[in-house]
Amino acid sequence: METWAGLCPGLHLSLGIWVMIAAHTLQNAKAEITCASCPSPIQLHLEELQLGMRTDPTQEPSVLKNIRIEFRELGVVDQNTVVEDDRETGVSVEDPSLFSQDISLDGVSSKEDRPESSEESQRGTHQDEEPEMSEDAALRRAKRSSPEFADLSESEWTGRTGLDVGAAGDRGSLLDGHKLGRSEFKWNRDEGRGNTRQDEPKITSSTFALTGDSAHNHAVVYWSGQNSSVILILTKLYDFHIGSVTESTLWRSTDYGSTYERMNDKVGSKTVLSYLYVCPTNKRKIMVLTDPEFESSVLISSDEGASYQKYRLTFYILSLLFHPTEEDWALAYSHDQKLYSSVDFGRKWQLIHEHVTPNRFYWSVSGLDKEPDLVHMEAHTPDGNVQYVTCRAQVCTEANRNYPFPGYIDISSLVVQDDYIFIQVPTSGRATYYVSYKRESFIQIKLPKYSLPKDLHIVSTDGKQVFAAVQEWNQNDTYNLYLSDTRGIYFTLAMENVKTTRGIGGNQMLDLYEVAGIKGVLIANKRQDNQVKTYITYNKGRDWRLLQAPATDLDGNDIHCILPFCSLHLQLHMSENPYLSGTISTKSSAPGIIVAAGNIGAELSYNNVGMFISSDAGNSWRQIFEEEHNVWFLDKGGALVAVKQPTVPTRHLWISFDEGRQWTQHSFSSVPLFVDGVLVEAGAENQIMTFFGHFSHRSEWQLIKIDYKSIFSRKCTEEDYQTWHLHNQGEPCVMGQKQIYMKRRPGNYCMLGKDYSRILSAESCICRAHDFECDYGYERRGDGNCRPAFWFNPSLLSRSCSQGQNYLNSTGYRKVVLNNCTKGVKEMYTARKQQCPNRPPKGLLLTTKDGKLTVNLGNNVTFLVHLDEGDSLQTNIQLDFGDGKAVSYSNLSWTEDGIKHMYKSAGIFRVTALAENTLGYDSTTLFLHVTCPVEHVQLLAPFVVIRNKEVNITAVVLPSHSRTVTYFWWLCNNTEPMITLDGSISYTFPNEGMHTITVQVAAANNILQDTKTIAVKEFFKSLLLSFSPNLDEFNPDIPEWRQDVGRVIKKALLQVCDFPEEQLLVAVFPGVPTAAELFLLPHKNQSEGKKKSEEELEQVSDIIVSALNQNLVEFELKPGVRVIVYNTQLTLAPLVDSNPRHSSSAMLMLLSVVFLGLAVFLIYKFKRKIPWINIYAEVNQEKEQEMIGSVGQGDSTPKITLSEFSTSKELMEKELDARVKRGVGNACESTREIPNCTSV
């Protein structure tokens, strides 16, 4: 979710320019919220130009709130890409130094009532003055300057200087009025219509060349205005190959741009500057950053850039955000995602928070936040989640931090703007958005039920409601426009399928524009039936209509354009260059005047584009140019100035004093200039505008200061004004008012006063149907009436409604926000107060606060209970948590903040809610998974198994989980796992060989696995082994140690028998006392001669048993520590004698035989499974199958059971108990009890 600024009343030149700047460099935030509190183009997906540029420090959206102006990146071109081409053209250009003196240029008249179509036709008698430029030269220059080639020329216009312009009348005309949509202007076509005046007033201009900066391709310009004569320009050479600034020059003018002084010596001759900032509340204070590739420092000036103090920084500043009221307070965002604060204008910095999301930090809003130094931010937790955090700038310890929203939020979704705070909550499937109005609790935003948004952007939040653009599930390049109620909760559809436009930098912008100075008037481009048409509304989107085309063209010929088949269509694009006007512009101090580029026809087209103007707020239009021009407002909107688009060099500008009906031509330069931008009326009381550009591709920056004060003969008096009545096709009531404006009479050459009043009177109208829009859940039908949508049940009552109370029952309509109508149908359409009926509970809904059905063991879970119908104060609520605990509340109001509970064990719990009153009841159920991360998994499987015989395989998990673990069994070479909820399976191996078994255990977000290798044979022989007690002292009971000891034992056994190594397998059991099992496997090619192989195994077994009985098998564990290997089954070693080679007594041998015989009898009698081995052996086809020990199948060897061994469950329980006693609660130590038969 993103936000776009755009509906703020009162635009500032600084604000708008910064918005255009930010459009180039803000990074894409799909499904994000980007903040822009005021004027801005409606940008959907903000992507940085792919030019290797670092993020502009001025790009944070929150800065739009701070009314700043910092013009950025004037020059726009990679000089290396075109310099050789220019040399080949042989353009003849006069030395720029010749034009540094003041020049007085006469106004030039042209043919009356007919615009010239080319620069040549306008030159008239001035052809001798202007050197001709070849077509190739013009084209190459076009590549330098035009937005179409911005990828090469790269005018990444960025910036924010701190111009807080004050009254609307003082605001710069460059961007004033660009609220909701296009706060940037595009160039207008046609060289202008010059109307004859015999004695046009002269304008004075002077040219200054920034000598030595011809290679610099970026510039930052700042002019504070407000009677300040200081202009600052920072030019930079940005090397696209290495991605950094390599040179910079700081220029300063104290005479409104007539002359400039190089300031490099005062900031440090070797210092490379990167960005320039001006405090929005005290424009004398300036902060300049050095390029971090060379050093990390900040230069501070308190005298409008006359002198600087340098302070070293320990971090690299990527962006700055000044406080809206405190001039010395600032926030700095570093390259490593840390947020710092300063209360002494950058001299000292203090860390606020780490891992902050870029552009998601905001200062407090006056009147809403209690502390002026409160900071809102979006921060990341150590586990990767994102939270909304607030704290005071200088006291932001963990103890002082607050979390206004209790759960996690989506990254780049926090927006703090005016009265509202928006967040997006991470959910699977649908996006869920929440809003907080005036710092109240967050409430879920209610869009129409089946809008199913893929993307949502906050367009604006001024005017006591929220404009939101929503891309729904079935849209790709269009958005639907929604309007909210005052609290920003309930949204209704204002227009479907609003067109989007992708800018040069990949920025996607909504074709939506709010006319400045007149509330409720918006213009939008709508896609319908594969055509795009322009519509206008006078009541904030309640009704839309097409634009009436002009009646005649520039030559006075009739235009036959009949609605709805033909109409006027306007381009609502933003300008990528903040110094150019854009395709549409209005100004609050010139109400009703709209200048835009467009075409006449059945749909919007980018061919045959002309310039059009309306003097009555869009009711009627007339054409003023046949080609695109840049058009700005002069003298607070009293005059218009036009310059041809920058792809062609020009030395003329056109001025109109009668709202575009007549134009006078003036020369501002003796040499045609490629105009890169114009700075017009930055709020100063003087009448000065500055042109930026180049005479040729190779020349330095040229700054032409134009003083147009001489155009005005006097100041306007009362007789110079006339009244104008705002209307909508003759209807005088607009937004519930009859508004009368005062405007200067067209053609009067007088200067507007500073306190010029625009609205003369505003009288409320009687309310009618068009003053009301459809309420939430209602849709406008073909007859114009609002009726319930199919998914909406109007009879649903608020859950706060109780018997004896009243509620507002919607009529299906709600008054358009800020509409001032009275009486009339107001009472009929306004929601009616009705008494709450007594109803049984219905529509009971139980959810968790974060919308998830899982919670980690030991964490609180908050349950929310919602009741669609029923007496909330008389309905009892019972909640059974499913773990033996339950709570009961006398009414629903006690559950407003949710019901918290903590589970003590893992598992799946059935949570049941019951709502009951005297008229009935309703219940609902939720199944909650309480999970605990898996810390250990052990796969229990036999080492050797018989082919085609079923075997048990078990996975033991610690800590123990109940029904919350999923097991994935990968058996042999199967490509798909066997998935179970049980930790034990049975499996039959069909083929001989070595087979690998892997089990993966998934619980919560953790997955662990264990792997075993099993030998599958037709038959085998095995012996149980035990060891002298000294081995237990060195047994750490880990798998690696058991593998190593098994390899040593195998090596010792091979020394007493001649048997192939690959047919000998030794497996050491977990736990102590240490025990092992020896497997004698037949040769893989001898399985077919089973009888012969069995005999061979018997012979080898006898040899090994004999060696074991004679204590001939031993190995050295470490120097001085020798371990003897015993045959557990046949030998009872002395219990007392410590001599390891002592022979057993006859009595003990007899006891051993009796004991082993009893064990064999028990196995045969009860056929118990042997817990660790679980092997089925096939002796003869005729014999009954029986479960035997891990011994061979020969009759000569006694068969015993491991009944003395613990079962797998017992082993794990013992292991867990042992570790608990040692303070390790979650792990377990497997203790396998083996009869100690090594000593007597």
Side-chain angles (χ1 to χ4, degrees):
M1 182 164 69
E2 288 188 25
T3 62
W4 308 295
L7 287 175
C8 298
L11 288 199
H12 295 266
L13 168 62
S14 56
L15 207 48
I17 288 185
W18 159 231
V19 173
M20 290 182 290
I21 291 167
H24 250 353
T25 52
L26 280 176
Q27 294 182 349
N28 186 337
K30 177 74 173 175
E32 311 180 344
I33 304 181
T34 52
C35 173
S37 65
C38 265
S40 104
I42 306 194
Q43 302 177 18
L44 305 186
H45 309 298
L46 303 177
E47 299 175 357
E48 186 176 359
L49 288 177
Q50 302 302 314
L51 295 171
M53 295 295 296
R54 281 195 314 277
T55 303
D56 189 335
T58 66
Q59 294 167 13
E60 74 275 19
S62 54
V63 79
L64 299 173
K65 202 85 165 141
N66 294 336
I67 318 298
R68 316 176 190 168
I69 250 193
E70 188 172 291
F71 308 101
R72 290 238 191 247
E73 319 319 322
L74 256 193
V76 206
V77 66
D78 185 352
Q79 305 267 357
N80 297 329
T81 61
V82 290
V83 64
E84 293 186 2
D85 291 344
D86 187 73
R87 290 172 183 171
E88 292 175 2
T89 64
V91 179
S92 175
V93 181
E94 298 184 34
D95 187 348
S97 63
L98 298 177
F99 306 102
S100 60
Q101 71 275 12
D102 290 350
I103 301 175
S104 178
L105 300 171
D106 294 337
V108 180
S109 29
S110 62
K111 293 182 181 180
E112 186 171 358
D113 296 330
R114 184 181 182 91
E116 301 295 341
S117 60
S118 67
E119 178 72 23
E120 287 76 7
S121 64
Q122 296 166 7
R123 290 173 185 167
T125 60
H126 294 267
Q127 290 182 0
D128 295 337
E129 300 178 20
E130 300 182 18
E132 293 290 339
M133 295 190 67
S134 69
E135 227 175 317
D136 290 341
L139 178 60
R140 292 184 182 96
R141 181 57 192 179
K143 292 182 180 179
R144 170 192 181 88
S145 302
S146 72
E148 287 82 351
F149 298 93
D151 284 345
L152 295 176
S153 61
E154 187 38 35
S155 58
E156 186 185 38
W157 312 94
T158 55
R160 306 180 298 248
T161 27
L163 178 56
D164 190 359
V165 190
D170 293 330
R171 293 166 189 156
S173 64
L174 178 60
L175 295 175
D176 195 18
H178 290 258
K179 297 181 179 180
L180 180 128
R182 303 292 156 220
S183 45
E184 282 72 9
F185 315 101
K186 254 198 166 59
W187 30 88
N188 311 326
R189 288 193 177 174
D190 199 273
E191 182 56 24
R193 142 194 309 212
N195 292 278
T196 304
R197 287 181 57 97
Q198 297 300 323
D199 51 352
E200 297 294 345
K202 298 178 181 180
I203 62 174
T204 304
S205 67
S206 62
T207 302
F208 188 89
L210 301 184
T211 307
D213 284 0
S214 60
H216 290 192
N217 52 11
H218 285 190
V220 180
V221 183
Y222 166 72
W223 184 13
S224 68
Q226 294 185 336
N227 296 323
S228 173
S229 61
V230 175
I231 298 178
L232 294 172
I233 301 178
L234 172 62
T235 64
K236 302 178 290 184
L237 174 59
Y238 186 89
D239 192 322
F240 292 92
H241 300 290
I242 63 176
S244 66
V245 178
T246 57
E247 295 180 14
S248 68
T249 304
L250 182 63
W251 301 84
R252 184 173 185 264
S253 172
T254 58
D255 52 10
Y256 298 103
S258 296
T259 60
Y260 289 84
E261 175 189 2
R262 186 188 293 266
M263 303 292 293
N264 283 30
D265 292 339
K266 296 187 178 181
V267 299
S269 58
K270 296 184 179 180
T271 301
V272 179
L273 305 179
S274 180
Y275 295 102
L276 180 150
Y277 296 83
V278 179
C279 177
T281 53
N282 182 355
K283 294 160 203 67
R284 294 183 59 84
K285 292 189 174 182
I286 297 170
M287 195 180 296
V288 185
L289 301 181
T290 61
D291 191 275
E293 295 293 330
F294 295 89
E295 63 175 320
S296 182
S297 301
V298 59
L299 289 90
I300 296 174
S301 172
S302 299
D303 51 11
E304 289 189 284
S307 61
Y308 295 88
Q309 293 177 309
K310 180 183 285 189
Y311 294 88
R312 295 283 183 179
L313 300 176
T314 58
F315 58 95
Y316 298 157
I317 295 179
L318 290 184
S319 59
L320 280 176
L321 178 61
F322 290 101
H323 195 276
T325 57
E326 297 292 335
E327 62 184 56
D328 290 333
W329 293 6
L331 299 177
Y333 186 77
S334 70
H335 68 292
D336 53 355
Q337 296 187 325
K338 295 179 180 179
L339 187 63
Y340 296 83
S341 68
S342 173
V343 293
D344 55 5
F345 202 69
R347 292 170 176 82
K348 295 179 182 179
W349 296 91
Q350 181 172 331
L351 178 65
I352 296 179
H353 205 294
E354 297 180 344
H355 307 297
V356 176
T357 304
N359 305 325
R360 301 297 164 180
F361 47 90
Y362 309 86
W363 279 112
S364 62
V365 178
S366 178
L368 295 174
D369 295 305
K370 296 180 180 179
E371 299 87 5
D373 62 341
L374 188 72
V375 179
H376 304 260
M377 71 193 98
E378 182 182 294
H380 297 247
T381 62
D383 57 358
N385 292 308
V386 181
Q387 288 182 305
Y388 167 30
V389 184
T390 62
C391 66
R392 303 185 67 176
Q394 295 291 306
V395 190
C396 195
T397 60
E398 183 62 42
N400 295 320
R401 293 172 184 167
N402 295 313
Y403 302 88
F405 187 77
Y408 298 126
I409 66 174
D410 273 338
I411 188 172
S412 297
S413 70
L414 174 66
V415 167
V416 179
Q417 192 166 298
D418 296 324
D419 292 342
Y420 307 90
I421 300 177
F422 303 94
I423 58 171
Q424 180 176 333
V425 174
T427 55
S428 56
R430 303 182 187 179
T432 305
Y433 306 95
Y434 285 81
V435 62
S436 169
Y437 176 65
K438 291 188 174 180
R439 304 305 185 262
E440 296 174 357
S441 298
F442 280 91
I443 300 176
Q444 184 175 346
I445 288 176
K446 300 293 185 181
L447 291 166
K449 187 173 183 179
Y450 295 108
S451 64
L452 305 179
K454 294 191 297 185
D455 198 14
L456 183 146
H457 302 262
I458 303 301
V459 175
S460 81
T461 54
D462 66 341
K464 297 184 179 180
Q465 70 177 154
V466 180
F467 275 71
V470 177
Q471 188 172 61
E472 302 188 5
W473 62 275
N474 57 349
Q475 294 178 308
N476 293 318
D477 60 348
T478 61
Y479 280 71
N480 290 348
L481 179 65
Y482 286 90
L483 298 177
S484 78
D485 60 347
T486 302
R487 293 171 57 82
I489 301 172
Y490 294 98
F491 284 79
T492 59
L493 182 65
M495 173 175 269
E496 291 184 299
N497 296 319
V498 180
K499 175 182 173 291
T500 58
T501 303
R502 186 169 295 278
I504 297 172
N507 309 315
Q508 196 171 8
M509 296 157 288
L510 197 68
D511 277 19
L512 180 67
Y513 182 85
E514 183 180 22
V515 176
I518 304 176
K519 64 181 180 180
V521 180
L522 297 94
I523 303 175
N525 284 329
K526 178 181 179 180
R527 184 182 298 279
Q528 188 173 10
D529 299 329
N530 295 323
Q531 290 184 325
V532 176
K533 298 185 178 185
T534 301
Y535 290 81
I536 189 169
T537 177
Y538 291 84
N539 51 11
K540 264 194 170 181
R542 195 278 191 192
D543 300 294
W544 298 85
R545 63 173 175 83
L546 296 168
L547 297 179
Q548 178 65 59
T552 60
D553 61 15
L554 284 173
D555 295 325
N557 301 318
D558 291 339
I559 298 177
H560 300 284
C561 185
I562 302 175
L563 294 173
F565 310 102
C566 174
S567 61
L568 175 64
H569 308 284
L570 304 180
Q571 297 180 14
L572 305 178
H573 304 168
M574 63 167 284
S575 171
E576 300 285 348
N577 181 341
Y579 301 100
L580 300 178
S581 64
T583 61
I584 182 169
S585 57
T586 58
K587 188 175 179 66
S588 58
S589 60
I593 299 179
I594 307 172
V595 183
N599 66 283
I600 300 173
E603 62 177 328
L604 180 66
S605 172
Y606 296 95
N607 299 319
N608 301 320
V609 177
M611 296 300 299
F612 298 86
I613 190 170
S614 174
S615 298
D616 54 5
N619 285 281
S620 62
W621 296 81
R622 59 184 182 275
Q623 188 172 1
I624 56 176
F625 296 113
E626 290 181 344
E627 297 178 357
E628 277 191 79
H629 279 62
N630 292 282
V631 180
W632 297 274
F633 292 87
L634 296 182
D635 188 33
K636 304 175 183 64
L640 298 174
V641 60
V643 177
K644 199 168 183 179
Q645 59 181 353
T647 56
V648 178
T650 183
R651 64 186 185 89
H652 294 140
L653 57 84
W654 298 82
I655 297 179
S656 173
F657 287 87
D658 56 1
E659 299 176 352
R661 292 176 177 85
Q662 293 182 338
W663 295 83
T664 58
Q665 185 188 65
H666 299 264
S667 296
F668 62 85
S669 173
S670 296
V671 176
L673 180 76
F674 288 100
V675 178
D676 289 323
V678 179
L679 181 61
V680 180
E681 212 176 72
E685 288 303 307
N686 55 78
Q687 283 70 42
I688 293 175
M689 56 184 173
T690 303
F691 279 61
F692 305 94
H694 296 73
F695 290 135
S696 75
H697 170 98
R698 293 169 294 178
S699 69
E700 289 87 358
W701 293 85
Q702 305 294 327
L703 295 103
I704 301 179
K705 170 190 172 184
I706 299 175
D707 189 341
Y708 57 89
K709 186 176 183 179
S710 60
I711 294 178
F712 304 103
S713 58
R714 56 189 172 78
K715 284 193 175 183
C716 295
T717 62
E718 187 175 346
E719 289 75 20
D720 292 309
Y721 296 96
Q722 67 179 14
T723 59
W724 170 68
H725 296 254
L726 173 65
H727 65 94
N728 175 14
Q729 289 186 320
E731 168 57 54
C733 290
V734 176
M735 290 293 288
Q737 281 184 326
K738 294 179 181 179
Q739 301 176 50
I740 302 176
Y741 291 83
M742 196 164 62
K743 299 169 62 173
R744 181 170 55 187
R745 295 180 184 275
N748 287 12
Y749 282 67
C750 65
M751 189 183 306
L752 295 177
K754 180 178 180 181
D755 55 354
Y756 164 58
S757 176
R758 294 178 300 279
I759 299 181
L760 188 62
S761 66
E763 178 185 349
S764 295
C765 297
I766 299 299
C767 289
R768 290 183 290 176
H770 61 252
D771 295 312
F772 293 82
E773 61 189 2
C774 292
D775 203 352
Y776 175 76
Y778 291 81
E779 298 173 339
R780 191 173 302 280
R781 302 299 171 87
D783 58 2
N785 294 321
C786 297
R787 302 181 187 275
F790 74 94
W791 50 265
F792 183 69
N793 183 4
S795 64
L796 292 181
L797 303 179
S798 172
R799 60 175 177 168
S800 62
C801 189
S802 181
Q803 187 176 12
Q805 295 180 339
N806 296 320
Y807 73 100
L808 293 176
N809 187 17
S810 175
T811 61
Y813 299 86
R814 69 185 186 191
K815 191 177 178 182
V816 174
V817 177
L818 296 183
N819 186 293
N820 294 318
C821 73
T822 59
K823 302 180 181 178
V825 299
K826 181 177 180 180
E827 185 176 351
M828 182 174 66
Y829 285 119
T830 302
R832 299 179 178 87
K833 184 181 292 187
Q834 295 185 2
Q835 189 173 7
C836 297
N838 192 12
R839 293 186 177 184
K842 187 177 180 181
L844 184 64
L845 180 65
L846 178 64
T847 61
T848 59
K849 194 161 190 176
D850 58 4
K852 297 180 180 179
L853 296 177
T854 180
V855 63
N856 289 333
L857 183 64
N859 290 350
N860 273 319
V861 58
T862 302
F863 295 99
L864 299 178
V865 180
H866 173 77
L867 189 63
D868 285 338
E869 296 184 35
D871 191 338
S872 61
L873 296 181
Q874 305 296 327
T875 300
N876 177 270
I877 301 295
Q878 300 177 28
L879 189 63
D880 187 341
F881 298 110
D883 60 350
K885 296 181 180 179
V887 293
S888 178
Y889 298 92
S890 59
N891 59 65
L892 200 62
S893 62
W894 292 100
T895 67
E896 290 282 344
D897 297 329
I899 305 170
K900 293 184 178 180
H901 184 66
M902 181 183 293
Y903 288 87
K904 303 299 183 182
S905 61
I908 302 176
F909 296 90
R910 181 189 182 103
V911 186
T912 304
L914 175 67
E916 186 176 17
N917 63 19
T918 57
L919 298 179
Y921 69 92
D922 192 13
S923 63
T924 185
T925 300
L926 177 149
F927 295 93
L928 183 70
H929 291 239
V930 180
T931 61
C932 180
V934 176
E935 296 183 7
H936 176 73
V937 58
Q938 182 177 355
L939 182 60
L940 304 181
F943 300 102
V944 184
V945 300
I946 300 296
R947 184 174 67 88
N948 291 329
K949 296 299 178 183
E950 192 175 60
V951 60
N952 289 339
I953 304 172
T954 302
V956 180
V957 174
L958 291 178
S960 178
H961 285 250
S962 173
R963 301 175 297 165
T964 60
V965 173
T966 303
Y967 299 85
F968 299 85
W969 306 89
W970 300 87
L971 305 170
C972 302
N973 294 321
N974 294 347
T975 58
E976 295 292 333
M978 180 189 300
I979 303 175
T980 68
L981 296 177
D982 190 4
S984 180
I985 63 170
S986 295
Y987 188 74
T988 301
F989 293 89
N991 302 315
E992 286 189 87
M994 304 301 292
H995 295 267
T996 300
I997 299 176
T998 299
V999 62
Q1000 290 182 321
V1001 177
N1005 295 325
N1006 286 2
I1007 297 180
L1008 296 181
Q1009 75 175 34
D1010 192 15
T1011 300
K1012 296 291 184 185
T1013 300
I1014 297 178
V1016 179
K1017 295 294 181 181
E1018 224 23 83
F1019 56 91
F1020 62 90
K1021 188 123 178 116
S1022 67
L1023 299 171
L1024 288 177
L1025 305 178
S1026 57
F1027 307 92
S1028 53
N1030 56 352
L1031 180 61
D1032 295 340
E1033 301 175 10
F1034 302 96
N1035 184 356
D1037 196 20
I1038 59 175
E1040 294 87 346
W1041 184 87
R1042 291 192 288 270
Q1043 292 176 5
D1044 291 337
V1045 169
R1047 189 171 55 254
V1048 174
I1049 297 171
K1050 181 178 179 179
K1051 184 177 180 180
L1053 290 170
L1054 290 174
Q1055 294 179 356
V1056 299
C1057 67
D1058 184 13
F1059 196 67
E1061 181 178 355
E1062 63 272 10
Q1063 295 177 234
L1064 196 67
L1065 175 64
V1066 177
V1068 180
F1069 298 124
V1072 290
T1074 309
E1077 187 165 8
L1078 170 64
F1079 297 93
L1080 303 176
L1081 309 178
H1083 192 275
K1084 60 181 179 179
N1085 296 327
Q1086 293 182 355
S1087 294
E1088 310 222 349
K1090 179 177 179 182
K1091 186 172 181 181
K1092 181 178 179 181
S1093 297
E1094 286 181 345
E1095 293 176 354
E1096 292 178 355
L1097 294 183
E1098 288 292 346
Q1099 294 174 4
V1100 175
S1101 175
D1102 292 341
I1103 295 173
I1104 293 177
V1105 169
S1106 175
L1108 292 172
N1109 290 338
Q1110 300 178 47
N1111 297 336
L1112 300 179
V1113 181
E1114 61 180 4
F1115 61 91
E1116 187 176 48
L1117 186 66
K1118 58 186 300 185
V1121 179
R1122 300 195 65 82
V1123 178
I1124 301 175
V1125 184
Y1126 302 103
N1127 179 10
T1128 302
Q1129 298 177 353
L1130 299 179
T1131 305
L1132 284 175
L1135 296 175
V1136 178
D1137 198 334
S1138 59
N1139 185 355
R1141 298 188 179 276
H1142 196 329
S1143 60
S1144 305
S1145 64
M1147 181 59 70
L1148 290 178
M1149 284 294 294
L1150 180 59
L1151 291 174
S1152 176
V1153 171
V1154 172
F1155 172 74
L1156 293 175
L1158 180 61
V1160 172
F1161 171 79
L1162 291 174
I1163 289 177
Y1164 180 81
K1165 183 68 177 177
F1166 298 105
K1167 293 184 170 58
R1168 289 188 57 183
K1169 286 187 179 180
I1170 298 181
W1172 288 94
I1173 310 302
N1174 295 326
I1175 298 176
Y1176 291 94
E1178 183 180 64
V1179 181
N1180 290 308
Q1181 297 295 333
E1182 306 86 81
K1183 288 187 68 175
E1184 178 186 1
Q1185 291 184 356
E1186 57 184 11
M1187 291 175 287
I1188 64 171
S1190 301
V1191 296
Q1193 282 70 42
D1195 296 333
S1196 60
T1197 305
K1199 301 171 184 175
I1200 71 165
T1201 180
L1202 301 181
S1203 59
E1204 294 83 4
F1205 286 64
S1206 301
T1207 65
S1208 60
K1209 183 176 181 181
E1210 293 169 346
L1211 289 171
M1212 299 311 295
E1213 289 176 351
K1214 291 180 180 180
E1215 183 172 358
L1216 185 60
D1217 291 341
R1219 297 206 175 187
V1220 168
K1221 292 178 180 179
R1222 293 198 304 249
V1224 183
N1226 291 1
C1228 139
E1229 189 178 322
S1230 175
T1231 32
R1232 174 188 176 106
E1233 297 180 353
I1234 300 180
N1236 187 353
C1237 304
T1238 57
S1239 60
V1240 177

